[in-house]
Amino acid sequence: MSAQLPREKVPILLVDDQPEGLMALEATLAPLGQQIVVARSGREALRQLLNQDFAVVLLDIVMPGMDGFETAQLIREREKSRNTPILFLTALSRGEVPEFRAYAVGAVDYLLKPYEPDILRSKVSVFVDLFRKTEMLRRQAEALREAQRREHERELAEAHQRLEVERSRWREELLRKEMETGRNQQRWLEAVLTTLPSPLALLEPGTGHILFANRAAQSLADGALVYPEARRLNTELVFTDSEGKQLPDESLPAARAARGELLSGVPVEWRRGEQRGAALAFSSRLPPMHGRPETALLALLDVTALHVTERNLQRAVHVRDDFLSMASHELRTPLTSLKVHVQGALRAAHRRGEEPLPVAQYVAKLETLEHNVSRLALLVDNLLDISRIHTGRLDFELAEVDLAAVVRDVASRFSEEASSAGCTLSVRAENPVVGRWDYSRVDQVVTNLLANALKYGAGAPVELAVSEEASHATLEVRDGGIGVREQDRYRIFERFERAVPHEHYSGFGLGLWLVHEIVTGLGGSVTVESPPGQGALFRVLLPWSREPQATEWRKVAQG
């Protein structure tokens, strides 16, 4: 396609304040056959430039108000007319024209009046041709853009058509994927429900048919709470209510939920031989949704462990009551003796006219009082140690302690009690055995073990021995008493536990427990050996040095 210049008249702006100057310019440019627009001032020229574009502006320099330089400056400052060619015309002589300023304000050339008409027409013709070429390029660009727009619209129409086809295919694929996703979600939900620890089942209303039961529901009571066939296979399994009344099949949670009953924590218990179990039943109705019919939901809460805990708590309460009974009895015995002796002493002191009792009798009474007070103090200390161990605050004051010296001292204090119990007391602790321990706690360990040996080994010899090894010191207390049955050898070190009835032997059942707690707190261990018919041997191992940890006491107390 050949490019042809547009033949429309090209606008040329003539700016001069002199009418004769404008007439001369019009006459000179008339042969060019273009559109001539005149302006008689700079301001009028600016208004013309606001309305249309011009191929060239012929601008007189000397004008009143706003001269040619100022007008040119404003033309250049306007974005749309910034590139419009400006040709200055002036009657000034060549030496009077400030050429640098003319070019500085954007003039492409200037002519001096009187000008040569052919030269002026030649210069203007150049700008006219340039304007036409520019206009042609603009129109070609617009035509190109229009062609591109039409092509683009055609391509868009084709793309839209292809897109509709693709959308149709995508919709079909999406529907297929949604259906597959729905199936996968159902499988995933069933997998989640299957692994839940809470028994859960979905039943068909009316028939009671099991639509789904997770693993926990299948294992709870061997699945007999949900599946009727499982109940028929477990003939020894018996279901009862919370009062122990046996439940028929129609009264079980699954049958009631299928009938539409809304259960809220209904208890059901079962037993099979020595095995026991319990659960709370909850049910609700799921309305039809997502293409599924109405469904009965049955949830079971296994409370077997709670029942076991309840029995343990009841046992703990029973143990507490027994302990309080024992404590009142144990505390009353020395208090009664103290009261009797104090009352006797007061009566003797108030008798008049009688000779005073001999000093030996007073000493005997005081010794009895001192013995009972010591017994009371020991009982109170044991009770305080229970509280300290429970709160993790059993105190240790570590220092250099001679275990052999502690054993000899305790044995000396128990000499009269051993004699009263008919026990010969022997001690093998001649050489010092020194470690970093708590003196009072080590004394408490030896005292409790010796008191235990004299209580349960009355009438038989009692031996205490101390030895040392590379890593620890050893304390052994042997008696020839009733011994400890094998099934009781761990239980006797627990709080309030006793291997024999309280009616036969007094005490709180705390001595050996305190021994275990103290020795463990010092990093050691205590064990018992009791061959049949040979009494009991308690062996304590104490490391030479160890900082007791409070956290261990808390763990023991909480356990």
Side-chain angles (χ1 to χ4, degrees):
M1 180 180 67
S2 60
Q4 294 182 356
L5 295 177
R7 304 316 302 171
E8 293 88 353
K9 291 184 177 182
V10 175
I12 300 171
L13 180 60
L14 307 179
V15 185
D16 197 339
D17 61 320
Q18 299 295 326
E20 58 274 15
L22 289 175
M23 291 177 61
L25 286 174
E26 287 183 288
T28 302
L29 298 178
L32 297 179
Q34 306 303 323
Q35 179 188 355
I36 304 299
V37 179
V38 298
R40 292 176 174 81
S41 67
R43 296 185 184 279
E44 186 178 352
L46 294 175
R47 284 195 297 269
Q48 293 293 344
L49 284 165
L50 290 175
N51 297 326
Q52 68 181 119
D53 294 332
F54 293 92
V56 64
V57 178
L58 277 67
L59 181 59
D60 188 23
I61 293 178
V62 179
M63 292 186 297
M66 181 184 297
D67 63 14
F69 294 131
E70 292 175 338
T71 304
Q73 181 68 35
L74 292 175
I75 291 174
R76 288 291 177 258
E77 290 178 358
R78 181 171 172 265
E79 180 68 27
K80 190 175 181 181
S81 60
R82 178 172 298 170
N83 296 319
T84 301
I86 298 175
L87 184 62
F88 279 127
L89 299 174
T90 180
L92 299 174
S93 63
R94 182 171 298 274
E96 295 177 335
V97 177
E99 298 179 10
F100 290 108
R101 185 179 179 188
Y103 291 119
V105 296
V108 296
D109 202 352
Y110 70 93
L111 294 176
L112 299 176
K113 298 179 181 179
Y115 46 79
E116 185 67 34
D118 291 336
I119 295 176
L120 178 60
R121 281 193 294 270
S122 176
K123 290 182 178 290
V124 171
S125 296
V126 171
F127 294 119
V128 168
D129 290 341
L130 179 61
F131 185 86
R132 282 177 173 168
K133 291 178 181 179
T134 302
E135 185 66 15
M136 182 189 67
L137 291 175
R138 183 186 66 79
R139 292 181 181 182
Q140 288 178 347
E142 289 180 355
L144 180 60
R145 286 194 295 270
E146 179 64 21
Q148 290 175 341
R149 183 186 64 79
R150 288 195 297 268
E151 179 67 18
H152 181 64
E153 289 178 352
R154 184 185 63 78
E155 292 177 352
L156 282 179
E158 293 177 355
H160 180 72
Q161 185 177 3
R162 291 194 300 271
L163 180 60
E164 287 299 321
V165 175
E166 287 296 318
R167 281 178 178 173
S168 178
R169 186 179 63 81
W170 289 345
R171 280 193 291 267
E172 294 177 0
E173 181 69 16
L174 181 61
L175 181 59
R176 185 188 64 79
K177 289 184 177 179
E178 285 179 350
M179 295 176 63
E180 182 65 23
T181 300
R183 289 191 291 268
N184 291 338
Q185 288 179 345
Q186 181 178 351
R187 298 188 193 101
W188 178 81
L189 181 59
E190 289 179 356
V192 171
L193 295 178
T194 298
T195 58
L196 280 179
S198 300
L200 187 71
L202 299 176
L203 303 90
E204 187 177 66
T207 65
H209 175 67
I210 305 300
L211 303 175
F212 171 81
N214 66 358
R215 191 177 300 121
Q218 296 172 14
S219 61
L220 185 65
D222 295 334
L225 273 173
V226 178
Y227 295 99
E229 54 271 21
R231 292 194 292 275
R232 290 191 290 269
L233 293 175
N234 289 274
T235 56
E236 298 179 357
L237 195 62
V238 177
F239 291 96
T240 63
D241 58 16
S242 58
E243 297 178 355
K245 181 180 177 181
Q246 186 169 347
L247 296 174
D249 287 354
E250 59 270 16
S251 297
L252 292 177
R256 295 176 64 181
R259 290 197 299 269
E261 294 186 44
L262 300 180
L263 308 180
S264 180
V266 174
V268 58
E269 300 180 9
W270 62 89
R271 64 177 182 272
R272 181 173 55 192
E274 296 298 324
Q275 297 179 355
R276 295 289 187 273
L280 298 177
F282 303 84
S283 70
S284 60
R285 302 296 290 269
L286 301 178
M289 62 178 67
H290 306 303
R292 293 185 173 275
E294 185 181 29
T295 308
L297 171 64
L298 174 65
L300 299 167
L301 179 62
D302 189 358
V303 294
T304 303
L306 293 178
H307 280 213
V308 173
T309 302
E310 182 181 7
R311 289 194 294 270
N312 290 337
L313 290 175
Q314 291 174 349
R315 179 176 175 271
V317 171
H318 180 70
V319 170
R320 182 203 63 185
D321 293 340
D322 288 346
F323 167 72
L324 293 176
S325 176
M326 288 187 297
S328 61
H329 174 75
E330 292 294 331
L331 292 173
R332 187 181 295 111
T333 300
L335 285 174
T336 302
S337 178
L338 280 172
K339 183 177 180 180
V340 169
H341 283 81
V342 170
Q343 288 176 346
L346 290 174
R347 285 195 298 270
H350 287 84
R351 291 173 184 167
R352 297 181 179 178
E354 296 184 5
E355 294 183 1
L357 292 175
V359 174
Q361 293 186 20
Y362 276 112
V363 171
K365 290 180 178 293
L366 290 174
E367 289 176 347
T368 302
L369 291 174
E370 192 273 338
H371 174 76
N372 285 317
V373 169
S374 298
R375 185 177 178 186
L376 275 175
L378 179 61
L379 293 174
V380 172
D381 286 342
N382 287 341
L383 293 176
L384 288 175
D385 282 342
I386 295 175
S387 176
R388 294 190 186 103
I389 293 174
H390 183 71
T391 57
R393 294 186 295 104
L394 188 61
D395 299 326
F396 288 91
E397 296 181 4
L398 301 183
E400 297 292 329
V401 177
D402 185 355
L403 179 60
V406 174
V407 170
R408 291 194 299 269
D409 181 57
V410 173
S412 176
R413 294 202 308 266
F414 273 82
S415 58
E416 292 187 9
E417 188 171 341
S419 178
S420 299
C423 297
T424 59
L425 190 59
S426 61
V427 179
R428 290 188 289 111
E430 295 81 10
N431 299 323
V433 179
V434 179
R436 187 171 174 77
W437 305 304
D438 184 308
Y439 179 88
S440 61
R441 296 301 179 188
V442 172
D443 183 282
Q444 192 174 1
V445 168
V446 179
T447 298
N448 286 348
L449 289 176
L450 183 53
N452 184 77
L454 294 177
K455 180 192 297 186
Y456 296 104
V462 175
E463 301 176 359
L464 291 89
V466 177
S467 60
E468 56 181 325
E469 302 292 339
S471 60
H472 61 269
T474 302
L475 166 65
E476 293 183 347
V477 180
R478 183 190 300 274
D479 66 70
I482 61 175
V484 183
R485 297 180 302 174
E486 184 175 358
Q487 60 267 32
D488 296 328
R489 291 178 189 173
Y490 294 101
R491 187 171 62 83
I492 59 174
F493 291 109
E494 298 179 4
R495 185 172 51 179
F496 307 137
E497 292 291 346
R498 305 157 58 86
V500 294
H502 175 67
E503 292 77 10
H504 300 160
Y505 295 90
S506 62
F508 288 162
L510 296 174
L512 294 179
W513 175 69
L514 287 172
V515 168
H516 178 270
E517 299 303 303
I518 293 172
V519 171
T520 303
L522 290 172
S525 63
V526 55
T527 57
V528 60
E529 298 175 6
S530 184
Q534 298 183 28
L537 169 62
F538 287 86
R539 180 178 291 109
V540 174
L541 304 181
L542 289 175
W544 295 116
S545 177
R546 180 176 187 266
E547 293 291 338
Q549 300 293 325
T551 53
E552 295 180 5
W553 291 101
R554 291 191 181 91
K555 182 172 68 176
V556 172
Q558 293 171 358

